[in-house]
Amino acid sequence: MSFKVLQPGLLSLLQDLGRFGQHEIGLTSSGPLDGEAFAWANRILNNAANACAIEVSFGGLQLQAQTDSYICITGAALDFSINGVNKPLWHSHKVVAGDQVKLGYSSQGCRTYVAVAGGFNIEQSFGSCATVMREKIGGLNGLKLAANDLLPCATVQHHDRLSLAPQHQPVYAESANLRLVLGYQHNLFDAATKARLQHSQYKVTDRSDRMGMRLQGPSIACPSQQMLSEGIALGAVQVPADGQPIVLLNDRQTIGGYPKLGSVIARDTSCLAQLRPGNTITFEIIDLYQAHTINTLAQLKFDATPLLHTKD
Amino acid sequence: MSRVDSIEIASENSYIIYFCEPNSTVISATVSAKIAATTAQIKHQLGHHLLDLVPSYASLLVIFNSASCDHLWVKQQLRSALSRPLAGQQKTSKLVKLPVFYSTEYGPELSLLAANAKLSVEQTIDLHCATEYRVYAIGFAPGFAYLGEVDERLAAPRLATPRLKVPTGAVAIADRQTAVYPAPSPGGWNLIGLCPTPMFNPQQVPHMPVNVGDRIQFYPIDQAEYVTLGGQLHEF
């Protein structure tokens, strides 16, 4: 029982929450770039939080259902149809064997998630099915989806049809405010540099991928560049000699030797990963207590937001 | 906890422990042994609250599950781990001997390194084999172990133009570090030979012959032995 890939789009990757406990042998964490949209897709289908779904970058994925199931699409807005009939995102939809599921290209945001009831049944490697093409690990043989791939899943005949009310759906704008916790070598950056970071706009460049987003704007160079390579956290803001920050994302290398100012919180790397080249960001420095509060409130809100029941 | 150890924030759910003065670029086996012992202690103390660890030359990144515990508790645990005596825990470090087919043909920079050191190729090989290297860090790619320190006569800067493809098993030198490439990848290190022992095998447990803190010593083999041990020969 499975879905067949008819068109893979530009970059479609099988992802779960990521691979943990493997940094010691050099494996990155991977996982969905937009953890929030991924979490909603699984919740709307009553799936486990770690169920395997597809992260579609920029759209273009087409699937054929080879069994009966339910699917849910969340994340960046795009045209989504089943057998040519347009359907809303953030809803679970019934599909029957033979149905064609088609995603257009995203108009706002760039990461869309396709989840299926029960999750795709993909063999785990190193405790996760998250695909890292650079490492050739996870997903189907460590590769992005290709035409004719078969994505195994359960047959589901009856399932709640749930949806997220529009007022609770995230809005993917053309700018984002990234909240940053100071850390690592931040003491090597002077106060004027930190002030410049907080009062400037940075542009997302096209040299951005699942490893990191390269930004362009006023230089925040670190006077000292010599250091020993060290572990890199998700969201770390790395500043090479040219002073142009790079925010490191899910597929980052586990160790690196550039000075770092601290790290953007994961809730905001999710927003960053939805931006396109030319979009703008600002930085806001927060402390660990604020980060803790932000995360706790966001989780409470996620858990308390009721889903709507849709009738067929 | 010695005076130089410090616990710094790395991100909303990670701390980085520095075992050296800020800005220090000195590599030390003593520091590395301490990091290996602290890594084991932290695994024990944080248990399921621990998401991941990245030990490196002079630091240890500790990533925790911020949904199951808070940063104040974690920092307290790290302080307590650092204050424990670490004697007796260093016996976990093992010595692994790895065969290398040193070759000027399959290690294109071997002659260059010999010339720079004003040594013969044979003396250069002996020098590379004479040192017991320590695994200081694993990263860059799955199974890529940074080994140090190479005799300073063999130290060599990275290539000005990195190769697009370095073959599996390539034994390489950059500055005073040496390594075995676990898989084909682009790379700018100087190549001196080939090692037939897989450095990373996803299908096998353990996946790597070494961990951070272990030691490696190389010994020379000839082409026939290299092939017998499963080594592949690729043209450059």
Side-chain angles (χ1 to χ4, degrees), chain A residues 21-25 27 126 135 182-185 229-231 233 254-255 263 265-266 288-289 295, chain B residues 9-12 14 18 23 43 51-54 56 59 61 71-72 138-139 142-143 146 200 207:
Chain A
Q22 305 296 342
H23 281 347
E24 280 184 85
I25 55 170
L27 303 188
F126 299 95
E135 296 176 348
L182 290 179
Y184 284 115
Q185 290 78 27
S229 288
E230 62 185 25
T254 53
I255 65 174
S263 302
I265 64 173
L288 274 186
Y289 295 92
N295 288 329
Chain B
I9 293 166
S11 76
E12 60 184 321
S14 59
Y18 290 110
N23 274 11
K43 276 184 191 171
L51 283 185
D52 230 322
L53 282 164
V54 188
S56 188
S59 64
L61 178 70
H71 58 97
L72 296 173
I138 293 170
Y146 291 83
F200 181 72
H207 306 291

mmCIF file of all heavy atoms in Angstrom, chain A residues 21-25 27 126 135 182-185 229-231 233 254-255 263 265-266 288-289 295, chain B residues 9-12 14 18 23 43 51-54 56 59 61 71-72 138-139 142-143 146 200 207:
data_model
loop_
_atom_site.group_PDB
_atom_site.id
_atom_site.type_symbol
_atom_site.label_atom_id
_atom_site.label_comp_id
_atom_site.label_asym_id
_atom_site.label_seq_id
_atom_site.Cartn_x
_atom_site.Cartn_y
_atom_site.Cartn_z
ATOM 1 N N GLY A 21 21.190 12.151 18.776
ATOM 2 C CA GLY A 21 22.139 11.260 19.425
ATOM 3 C C GLY A 21 23.211 10.719 18.491
ATOM 4 O O GLY A 21 23.940 9.799 18.847
ATOM 5 N N GLN A 22 23.328 11.284 17.293
ATOM 6 C CA GLN A 22 24.298 10.770 16.317
ATOM 7 C C GLN A 22 25.355 11.806 15.941
ATOM 8 O O GLN A 22 26.146 11.579 15.026
ATOM 9 C CB GLN A 22 23.574 10.305 15.038
ATOM 10 C CG GLN A 22 22.472 9.277 15.277
ATOM 11 C CD GLN A 22 22.992 7.962 15.835
ATOM 12 O OE1 GLN A 22 24.185 7.666 15.749
ATOM 13 N NE2 GLN A 22 22.110 7.164 16.415
ATOM 14 N N HIS A 23 25.367 12.957 16.606
ATOM 15 C CA HIS A 23 26.393 13.968 16.289
ATOM 16 C C HIS A 23 27.799 13.427 16.544
ATOM 17 O O HIS A 23 28.748 13.842 15.896
ATOM 18 C CB HIS A 23 26.195 15.217 17.152
ATOM 19 C CG HIS A 23 25.094 16.113 16.666
ATOM 20 N ND1 HIS A 23 24.506 15.986 15.431
ATOM 21 C CD2 HIS A 23 24.490 17.179 17.253
ATOM 22 C CE1 HIS A 23 23.585 16.938 15.289
ATOM 23 N NE2 HIS A 23 23.549 17.666 16.376
ATOM 24 N N GLU A 24 27.911 12.504 17.506
ATOM 25 C CA GLU A 24 29.255 12.015 17.853
ATOM 26 C C GLU A 24 29.915 11.246 16.716
ATOM 27 O O GLU A 24 31.135 11.075 16.723
ATOM 28 C CB GLU A 24 29.200 11.132 19.109
ATOM 29 C CG GLU A 24 29.136 11.935 20.387
ATOM 30 C CD GLU A 24 29.175 11.033 21.602
ATOM 31 O OE1 GLU A 24 30.281 10.681 22.016
ATOM 32 O OE2 GLU A 24 28.098 10.671 22.103
ATOM 33 N N ILE A 25 29.128 10.752 15.754
ATOM 34 C CA ILE A 25 29.749 10.123 14.587
ATOM 35 C C ILE A 25 29.601 11.014 13.353
ATOM 36 O O ILE A 25 29.810 10.579 12.229
ATOM 37 C CB ILE A 25 29.216 8.693 14.317
ATOM 38 C CG1 ILE A 25 27.697 8.674 14.175
ATOM 39 C CG2 ILE A 25 29.656 7.732 15.404
ATOM 40 C CD1 ILE A 25 27.160 7.331 13.660
ATOM 41 N N LEU A 27 26.868 12.767 12.198
ATOM 42 C CA LEU A 27 25.602 12.915 11.478
ATOM 43 C C LEU A 27 24.864 14.163 11.951
ATOM 44 O O LEU A 27 24.813 14.445 13.145
ATOM 45 C CB LEU A 27 24.695 11.699 11.696
ATOM 46 C CG LEU A 27 25.251 10.330 11.326
ATOM 47 C CD1 LEU A 27 24.159 9.271 11.431
ATOM 48 C CD2 LEU A 27 25.812 10.340 9.922
ATOM 49 N N PHE A 126 19.696 5.108 11.664
ATOM 50 C CA PHE A 126 20.165 5.854 12.826
ATOM 51 C C PHE A 126 18.985 6.485 13.576
ATOM 52 O O PHE A 126 19.035 7.647 13.965
ATOM 53 C CB PHE A 126 21.211 6.900 12.426
ATOM 54 C CG PHE A 126 22.435 6.291 11.802
ATOM 55 C CD1 PHE A 126 22.555 6.190 10.427
ATOM 56 C CD2 PHE A 126 23.455 5.798 12.600
ATOM 57 C CE1 PHE A 126 23.674 5.614 9.858
ATOM 58 C CE2 PHE A 126 24.575 5.227 12.035
ATOM 59 C CZ PHE A 126 24.683 5.123 10.664
ATOM 60 N N GLU A 135 24.640 13.318 3.257
ATOM 61 C CA GLU A 135 25.147 12.136 3.972
ATOM 62 C C GLU A 135 24.685 10.827 3.332
ATOM 63 O O GLU A 135 25.101 9.758 3.756
ATOM 64 C CB GLU A 135 24.652 12.175 5.426
ATOM 65 C CG GLU A 135 25.191 13.347 6.215
ATOM 66 C CD GLU A 135 24.625 13.436 7.638
ATOM 67 O OE1 GLU A 135 23.645 12.733 7.941
ATOM 68 O OE2 GLU A 135 25.180 14.217 8.416
ATOM 69 N N LEU A 182 22.041 35.276 22.786
ATOM 70 C CA LEU A 182 23.489 35.470 22.673
ATOM 71 C C LEU A 182 24.211 34.277 23.271
ATOM 72 O O LEU A 182 23.773 33.713 24.280
ATOM 73 C CB LEU A 182 23.924 36.739 23.398
ATOM 74 C CG LEU A 182 23.504 38.070 22.784
ATOM 75 C CD1 LEU A 182 24.004 39.218 23.665
ATOM 76 C CD2 LEU A 182 24.039 38.221 21.359
ATOM 77 N N GLY A 183 25.333 33.900 22.663
ATOM 78 C CA GLY A 183 26.090 32.778 23.192
ATOM 79 C C GLY A 183 27.394 32.627 22.445
ATOM 80 O O GLY A 183 27.828 33.544 21.733
ATOM 81 N N TYR A 184 28.005 31.465 22.591
ATOM 82 C CA TYR A 184 29.283 31.162 21.922
ATOM 83 C C TYR A 184 30.283 32.319 22.126
ATOM 84 O O TYR A 184 30.499 32.732 23.249
ATOM 85 C CB TYR A 184 29.051 30.906 20.430
ATOM 86 C CG TYR A 184 28.453 29.552 20.100
ATOM 87 C CD1 TYR A 184 27.188 29.455 19.536
ATOM 88 C CD2 TYR A 184 29.160 28.381 20.332
ATOM 89 C CE1 TYR A 184 26.645 28.215 19.181
ATOM 90 C CE2 TYR A 184 28.627 27.136 19.993
ATOM 91 C CZ TYR A 184 27.376 27.050 19.420
ATOM 92 O OH TYR A 184 26.857 25.836 19.071
ATOM 93 N N GLN A 185 30.790 32.885 21.009
ATOM 94 C CA GLN A 185 31.846 33.915 21.090
ATOM 95 C C GLN A 185 31.270 35.333 21.150
ATOM 96 O O GLN A 185 31.919 36.288 20.729
ATOM 97 C CB GLN A 185 32.778 33.808 19.874
ATOM 98 C CG GLN A 185 33.671 32.582 19.847
ATOM 99 C CD GLN A 185 32.935 31.322 19.418
ATOM 100 O OE1 GLN A 185 31.941 31.382 18.693
ATOM 101 N NE2 GLN A 185 33.416 30.183 19.874
ATOM 102 N N SER A 229 37.704 24.461 15.907
ATOM 103 C CA SER A 229 36.370 24.025 15.489
ATOM 104 C C SER A 229 35.602 23.485 16.686
ATOM 105 O O SER A 229 36.177 22.847 17.574
ATOM 106 C CB SER A 229 36.493 22.933 14.433
ATOM 107 O OG SER A 229 36.926 23.499 13.224
ATOM 108 N N GLU A 230 34.287 23.734 16.688
ATOM 109 C CA GLU A 230 33.459 23.328 17.823
ATOM 110 C C GLU A 230 32.056 23.002 17.348
ATOM 111 O O GLU A 230 31.683 23.286 16.207
ATOM 112 C CB GLU A 230 33.422 24.452 18.865
ATOM 113 C CG GLU A 230 32.794 25.723 18.319
ATOM 114 C CD GLU A 230 32.842 26.894 19.296
ATOM 115 O OE1 GLU A 230 33.728 26.917 20.166
ATOM 116 O OE2 GLU A 230 31.984 27.781 19.169
ATOM 117 N N GLY A 231 31.258 22.392 18.233
ATOM 118 C CA GLY A 231 29.903 21.961 17.895
ATOM 119 C C GLY A 231 28.984 23.128 17.551
ATOM 120 O O GLY A 231 29.054 24.187 18.166
ATOM 121 N N ALA A 233 25.080 24.499 17.093
ATOM 122 C CA ALA A 233 23.674 24.275 17.452
ATOM 123 C C ALA A 233 22.766 24.749 16.314
ATOM 124 O O ALA A 233 23.159 25.591 15.498
ATOM 125 C CB ALA A 233 23.344 25.036 18.728
ATOM 126 N N THR A 254 28.146 19.314 11.763
ATOM 127 C CA THR A 254 28.086 19.255 13.225
ATOM 128 C C THR A 254 29.160 20.110 13.891
ATOM 129 O O THR A 254 28.974 20.556 15.015
ATOM 130 C CB THR A 254 28.244 17.803 13.722
ATOM 131 O OG1 THR A 254 29.437 17.263 13.127
ATOM 132 C CG2 THR A 254 27.058 16.959 13.316
ATOM 133 N N ILE A 255 30.311 20.302 13.208
ATOM 134 C CA ILE A 255 31.326 21.168 13.801
ATOM 135 C C ILE A 255 31.818 22.181 12.783
ATOM 136 O O ILE A 255 31.762 21.951 11.576
ATOM 137 C CB ILE A 255 32.526 20.382 14.404
ATOM 138 C CG1 ILE A 255 33.308 19.642 13.332
ATOM 139 C CG2 ILE A 255 32.090 19.412 15.470
ATOM 140 C CD1 ILE A 255 34.559 18.991 13.904
ATOM 141 N N SER A 263 22.469 31.959 18.919
ATOM 142 C CA SER A 263 21.608 31.146 18.056
ATOM 143 C C SER A 263 20.182 31.681 18.035
ATOM 144 O O SER A 263 19.638 32.082 19.067
ATOM 145 C CB SER A 263 21.593 29.695 18.546
ATOM 146 O OG SER A 263 22.908 29.165 18.559
ATOM 147 N N ILE A 265 16.243 31.137 17.920
ATOM 148 C CA ILE A 265 15.421 30.059 18.482
ATOM 149 C C ILE A 265 14.752 29.269 17.348
ATOM 150 O O ILE A 265 14.474 29.805 16.268
ATOM 151 C CB ILE A 265 14.378 30.583 19.503
ATOM 152 C CG1 ILE A 265 13.355 31.504 18.848
ATOM 153 C CG2 ILE A 265 15.069 31.298 20.661
ATOM 154 C CD1 ILE A 265 12.216 31.902 19.798
ATOM 155 N N ALA A 266 14.497 27.994 17.603
ATOM 156 C CA ALA A 266 13.995 27.092 16.555
ATOM 157 C C ALA A 266 12.651 27.578 15.995
ATOM 158 O O ALA A 266 12.360 27.406 14.817
ATOM 159 C CB ALA A 266 13.852 25.680 17.106
ATOM 160 N N LEU A 288 17.650 33.612 27.794
ATOM 161 C CA LEU A 288 17.148 32.236 27.892
ATOM 162 C C LEU A 288 15.781 32.151 28.563
ATOM 163 O O LEU A 288 14.978 31.289 28.232
ATOM 164 C CB LEU A 288 18.133 31.365 28.691
ATOM 165 C CG LEU A 288 19.297 30.726 27.942
ATOM 166 C CD1 LEU A 288 20.048 29.789 28.888
ATOM 167 C CD2 LEU A 288 18.806 29.951 26.729
ATOM 168 N N TYR A 289 15.525 33.064 29.514
ATOM 169 C CA TYR A 289 14.237 33.048 30.209
ATOM 170 C C TYR A 289 13.114 33.413 29.244
ATOM 171 O O TYR A 289 12.040 32.807 29.252
ATOM 172 C CB TYR A 289 14.255 34.008 31.407
ATOM 173 C CG TYR A 289 15.235 33.571 32.469
ATOM 174 C CD1 TYR A 289 16.548 34.043 32.457
ATOM 175 C CD2 TYR A 289 14.862 32.676 33.464
ATOM 176 C CE1 TYR A 289 17.459 33.630 33.409
ATOM 177 C CE2 TYR A 289 15.767 32.259 34.425
ATOM 178 C CZ TYR A 289 17.069 32.734 34.388
ATOM 179 O OH TYR A 289 17.959 32.311 35.330
ATOM 180 N N ASN A 295 8.656 29.530 24.161
ATOM 181 C CA ASN A 295 8.442 28.130 23.775
ATOM 182 C C ASN A 295 7.303 27.486 24.561
ATOM 183 O O ASN A 295 6.496 26.751 24.002
ATOM 184 C CB ASN A 295 9.728 27.324 23.974
ATOM 185 C CG ASN A 295 10.770 27.673 22.936
ATOM 186 O OD1 ASN A 295 10.427 28.025 21.812
ATOM 187 N ND2 ASN A 295 12.041 27.597 23.301
ATOM 188 N N ILE B 9 26.306 29.702 27.001
ATOM 189 C CA ILE B 9 25.101 29.392 26.241
ATOM 190 C C ILE B 9 25.510 29.157 24.785
ATOM 191 O O ILE B 9 26.354 29.883 24.251
ATOM 192 C CB ILE B 9 24.113 30.575 26.311
ATOM 193 C CG1 ILE B 9 23.598 30.748 27.738
ATOM 194 C CG2 ILE B 9 22.967 30.400 25.318
ATOM 195 C CD1 ILE B 9 22.885 32.077 27.954
ATOM 196 N N ALA B 10 24.927 28.136 24.136
ATOM 197 C CA ALA B 10 25.118 27.978 22.697
ATOM 198 C C ALA B 10 23.815 28.300 21.966
ATOM 199 O O ALA B 10 23.821 28.945 20.927
ATOM 200 C CB ALA B 10 25.579 26.563 22.369
ATOM 201 N N SER B 11 22.694 27.853 22.541
ATOM 202 C CA SER B 11 21.396 28.151 21.934
ATOM 203 C C SER B 11 20.338 27.987 23.014
ATOM 204 O O SER B 11 20.660 27.694 24.165
ATOM 205 C CB SER B 11 21.104 27.207 20.771
ATOM 206 O OG SER B 11 20.712 25.935 21.251
ATOM 207 N N GLU B 12 19.055 28.141 22.633
ATOM 208 C CA GLU B 12 17.964 28.016 23.604
ATOM 209 C C GLU B 12 17.958 26.659 24.293
ATOM 210 O O GLU B 12 17.439 26.529 25.388
ATOM 211 C CB GLU B 12 16.613 28.237 22.909
ATOM 212 C CG GLU B 12 16.384 27.210 21.804
ATOM 213 C CD GLU B 12 15.109 27.423 21.007
ATOM 214 O OE1 GLU B 12 14.099 27.779 21.592
ATOM 215 O OE2 GLU B 12 15.165 27.224 19.770
ATOM 216 N N SER B 14 20.944 24.456 24.306
ATOM 217 C CA SER B 14 22.283 23.845 24.372
ATOM 218 C C SER B 14 23.276 24.757 25.076
ATOM 219 O O SER B 14 23.171 25.984 25.018
ATOM 220 C CB SER B 14 22.785 23.475 22.978
ATOM 221 O OG SER B 14 22.847 24.601 22.147
ATOM 222 N N TYR B 18 33.680 25.102 27.501
ATOM 223 C CA TYR B 18 35.034 25.336 26.976
ATOM 224 C C TYR B 18 36.054 24.857 27.997
ATOM 225 O O TYR B 18 35.968 25.208 29.171
ATOM 226 C CB TYR B 18 35.240 26.823 26.680
ATOM 227 C CG TYR B 18 34.428 27.293 25.493
ATOM 228 C CD1 TYR B 18 33.339 28.151 25.662
ATOM 229 C CD2 TYR B 18 34.744 26.866 24.205
ATOM 230 C CE1 TYR B 18 32.589 28.570 24.575
ATOM 231 C CE2 TYR B 18 33.994 27.287 23.115
ATOM 232 C CZ TYR B 18 32.925 28.135 23.305
ATOM 233 O OH TYR B 18 32.181 28.534 22.232
ATOM 234 N N ASN B 23 39.855 31.995 22.653
ATOM 235 C CA ASN B 23 40.824 32.324 21.604
ATOM 236 C C ASN B 23 42.003 31.363 21.537
ATOM 237 O O ASN B 23 42.841 31.484 20.652
ATOM 238 C CB ASN B 23 41.408 33.734 21.771
ATOM 239 C CG ASN B 23 40.516 34.758 21.112
ATOM 240 O OD1 ASN B 23 39.395 34.434 20.735
ATOM 241 N ND2 ASN B 23 41.004 35.959 20.977
ATOM 242 N N LYS B 43 26.476 12.197 29.840
ATOM 243 C CA LYS B 43 25.492 11.226 29.324
ATOM 244 C C LYS B 43 24.784 10.557 30.488
ATOM 245 O O LYS B 43 23.567 10.390 30.483
ATOM 246 C CB LYS B 43 26.203 10.144 28.502
ATOM 247 C CG LYS B 43 26.468 10.522 27.075
ATOM 248 C CD LYS B 43 27.095 9.334 26.337
ATOM 249 C CE LYS B 43 27.597 9.781 24.994
ATOM 250 N NZ LYS B 43 28.400 8.763 24.322
ATOM 251 N N LEU B 51 19.738 15.355 24.242
ATOM 252 C CA LEU B 51 19.402 15.086 22.838
ATOM 253 C C LEU B 51 20.634 14.720 22.034
ATOM 254 O O LEU B 51 20.608 13.836 21.184
ATOM 255 C CB LEU B 51 18.740 16.309 22.192
ATOM 256 C CG LEU B 51 17.285 16.594 22.514
ATOM 257 C CD1 LEU B 51 16.789 17.763 21.669
ATOM 258 C CD2 LEU B 51 16.416 15.372 22.245
ATOM 259 N N ASP B 52 21.736 15.431 22.270
ATOM 260 C CA ASP B 52 22.937 15.161 21.482
ATOM 261 C C ASP B 52 24.153 15.818 22.113
ATOM 262 O O ASP B 52 24.019 16.716 22.948
ATOM 263 C CB ASP B 52 22.757 15.676 20.042
ATOM 264 C CG ASP B 52 23.117 14.611 19.021
ATOM 265 O OD1 ASP B 52 24.097 13.872 19.271
ATOM 266 O OD2 ASP B 52 22.428 14.511 18.002
ATOM 267 N N LEU B 53 25.332 15.352 21.693
ATOM 268 C CA LEU B 53 26.600 15.858 22.215
ATOM 269 C C LEU B 53 27.571 16.023 21.057
ATOM 270 O O LEU B 53 27.621 15.174 20.169
ATOM 271 C CB LEU B 53 27.217 14.826 23.167
ATOM 272 C CG LEU B 53 26.662 14.703 24.570
ATOM 273 C CD1 LEU B 53 27.131 13.393 25.175
ATOM 274 C CD2 LEU B 53 27.125 15.876 25.412
ATOM 275 N N VAL B 54 28.338 17.094 21.081
ATOM 276 C CA VAL B 54 29.408 17.251 20.088
ATOM 277 C C VAL B 54 30.713 17.566 20.801
ATOM 278 O O VAL B 54 31.014 18.725 21.100
ATOM 279 C CB VAL B 54 29.108 18.368 19.056
ATOM 280 C CG1 VAL B 54 30.161 18.356 17.944
ATOM 281 C CG2 VAL B 54 27.708 18.222 18.471
ATOM 282 N N SER B 56 34.614 18.249 20.801
ATOM 283 C CA SER B 56 35.575 18.696 19.782
ATOM 284 C C SER B 56 36.925 18.933 20.443
ATOM 285 O O SER B 56 37.157 18.454 21.544
ATOM 286 C CB SER B 56 35.037 19.943 19.077
ATOM 287 O OG SER B 56 35.865 20.265 17.980
ATOM 288 N N SER B 59 36.217 21.752 23.368
ATOM 289 C CA SER B 59 34.871 22.131 23.803
ATOM 290 C C SER B 59 33.941 20.931 23.712
ATOM 291 O O SER B 59 34.245 19.940 23.057
ATOM 292 C CB SER B 59 34.334 23.263 22.924
ATOM 293 O OG SER B 59 34.184 22.800 21.595
ATOM 294 N N LEU B 61 29.716 20.488 23.152
ATOM 295 C CA LEU B 61 28.371 21.042 22.988
ATOM 296 C C LEU B 61 27.374 20.033 23.540
ATOM 297 O O LEU B 61 27.408 18.859 23.170
ATOM 298 C CB LEU B 61 28.087 21.323 21.511
ATOM 299 C CG LEU B 61 26.685 21.856 21.183
ATOM 300 C CD1 LEU B 61 26.502 23.279 21.699
ATOM 301 C CD2 LEU B 61 26.451 21.838 19.667
ATOM 302 N N HIS B 71 16.840 24.999 31.500
ATOM 303 C CA HIS B 71 18.265 25.312 31.335
ATOM 304 C C HIS B 71 18.990 25.482 32.659
ATOM 305 O O HIS B 71 20.185 25.227 32.753
ATOM 306 C CB HIS B 71 18.428 26.546 30.442
ATOM 307 C CG HIS B 71 17.735 27.776 30.943
ATOM 308 N ND1 HIS B 71 18.388 28.739 31.660
ATOM 309 C CD2 HIS B 71 16.454 28.184 30.844
ATOM 310 C CE1 HIS B 71 17.528 29.706 31.978
ATOM 311 N NE2 HIS B 71 16.344 29.391 31.481
ATOM 312 N N LEU B 72 18.262 25.895 33.708
ATOM 313 C CA LEU B 72 18.928 26.080 35.001
ATOM 314 C C LEU B 72 19.348 24.734 35.586
ATOM 315 O O LEU B 72 20.452 24.576 36.095
ATOM 316 C CB LEU B 72 17.985 26.798 35.982
ATOM 317 C CG LEU B 72 17.600 28.211 35.565
ATOM 318 C CD1 LEU B 72 16.542 28.764 36.487
ATOM 319 C CD2 LEU B 72 18.826 29.111 35.538
ATOM 320 N N ILE B 138 34.970 14.398 15.631
ATOM 321 C CA ILE B 138 34.373 13.711 14.485
ATOM 322 C C ILE B 138 33.318 14.644 13.924
ATOM 323 O O ILE B 138 32.452 15.127 14.659
ATOM 324 C CB ILE B 138 33.770 12.350 14.891
ATOM 325 C CG1 ILE B 138 34.892 11.398 15.320
ATOM 326 C CG2 ILE B 138 32.955 11.747 13.750
ATOM 327 C CD1 ILE B 138 34.427 10.115 15.966
ATOM 328 N N GLY B 139 33.408 14.916 12.641
ATOM 329 C CA GLY B 139 32.447 15.841 12.043
ATOM 330 C C GLY B 139 32.766 16.036 10.584
ATOM 331 O O GLY B 139 33.448 15.196 10.001
ATOM 332 N N PRO B 142 29.868 12.164 7.925
ATOM 333 C CA PRO B 142 29.724 11.008 8.817
ATOM 334 C C PRO B 142 31.020 10.200 8.889
ATOM 335 O O PRO B 142 31.560 9.802 7.863
ATOM 336 C CB PRO B 142 28.616 10.196 8.142
ATOM 337 C CG PRO B 142 27.828 11.185 7.362
ATOM 338 C CD PRO B 142 28.820 12.211 6.904
ATOM 339 N N GLY B 143 31.525 9.997 10.097
ATOM 340 C CA GLY B 143 32.694 9.167 10.282
ATOM 341 C C GLY B 143 34.030 9.839 10.017
ATOM 342 O O GLY B 143 35.070 9.189 10.078
ATOM 343 N N TYR B 146 39.002 13.694 13.015
ATOM 344 C CA TYR B 146 40.150 14.605 12.989
ATOM 345 C C TYR B 146 41.211 14.053 13.932
ATOM 346 O O TYR B 146 40.965 13.943 15.143
ATOM 347 C CB TYR B 146 39.754 15.996 13.455
ATOM 348 C CG TYR B 146 38.842 16.738 12.498
ATOM 349 C CD1 TYR B 146 37.469 16.535 12.501
ATOM 350 C CD2 TYR B 146 39.370 17.669 11.606
ATOM 351 C CE1 TYR B 146 36.639 17.232 11.630
ATOM 352 C CE2 TYR B 146 38.550 18.374 10.735
ATOM 353 C CZ TYR B 146 37.189 18.144 10.754
ATOM 354 O OH TYR B 146 36.375 18.838 9.892
ATOM 355 N N PHE B 200 33.446 4.323 8.260
ATOM 356 C CA PHE B 200 32.038 4.550 8.581
ATOM 357 C C PHE B 200 31.208 3.530 7.838
ATOM 358 O O PHE B 200 31.261 3.451 6.616
ATOM 359 C CB PHE B 200 31.613 5.957 8.184
ATOM 360 C CG PHE B 200 30.170 6.252 8.508
ATOM 361 C CD1 PHE B 200 29.774 6.433 9.825
ATOM 362 C CD2 PHE B 200 29.209 6.320 7.513
ATOM 363 C CE1 PHE B 200 28.446 6.696 10.146
ATOM 364 C CE2 PHE B 200 27.876 6.582 7.828
ATOM 365 C CZ PHE B 200 27.504 6.777 9.138
ATOM 366 N N HIS B 207 29.440 1.786 14.191
ATOM 367 C CA HIS B 207 29.545 2.308 12.828
ATOM 368 C C HIS B 207 30.952 2.768 12.492
ATOM 369 O O HIS B 207 31.321 2.864 11.334
ATOM 370 C CB HIS B 207 28.563 3.467 12.641
ATOM 371 C CG HIS B 207 27.162 3.095 13.000
ATOM 372 N ND1 HIS B 207 26.435 2.209 12.253
ATOM 373 C CD2 HIS B 207 26.373 3.456 14.042
ATOM 374 C CE1 HIS B 207 25.238 2.053 12.813
ATOM 375 N NE2 HIS B 207 25.187 2.785 13.902
#
